[in-house]
Amino acid sequence: MNVRSKITAQNQVSVPADVRKDLGIGPGSSIEWVKEDGKVVVKRVGKFTIEDVHKAAFPNGPPPYVADPRGEGVRAYMRKKHARD
């Protein structure tokens, strides 16, 4: 797909409708301009970062580590099943 946009006197660029549709973006969406191998690539930016998701899932910090009591049983079964005679 080859489409063109003009830069306005205010240094703004309109994103063509076909590109907006392909990227799945609309009013209020963010895009990112990434320089890769001498080219500029336009990417859709996700609404939330992994840090945002982590803070929402664990507002009081990460949960304490709890060892899986089944872990040793699984390891013993696998050792027995795949043991060489």
Side-chain angles (χ1 to χ4, degrees):
M1 164 183 16
N2 289 332
V3 294
R4 293 182 181 209
S5 295
K6 288 188 178 184
I7 300 174
T8 68
Q10 293 82 23
N11 288 315
Q12 295 176 335
V13 177
S14 293
V15 180
D18 290 346
V19 175
R20 290 193 310 266
K21 184 178 177 183
D22 287 348
L23 291 176
I25 60 173
S29 297
S30 294
I31 56 175
E32 181 177 38
W33 303 80
V34 182
K35 198 172 183 182
E36 295 179 353
D37 301 323
K39 296 180 180 181
V40 176
V41 178
V42 179
K43 296 182 178 183
R44 177 178 50 140
V45 177
K47 290 184 178 183
F48 303 104
T49 65
I50 190 66
E51 290 83 14
D52 295 334
V53 173
H54 193 269
K55 286 177 187 175
F58 307 109
N60 299 322
Y65 174 76
V66 178
D68 181 5
R70 298 170 292 173
E72 185 53 42
V74 170
R75 281 189 287 279
Y77 171 79
M78 294 304 285
R79 278 194 297 269
K80 182 178 176 182
K81 180 179 178 182
H82 298 287
R84 295 181 185 158
D85 295 329

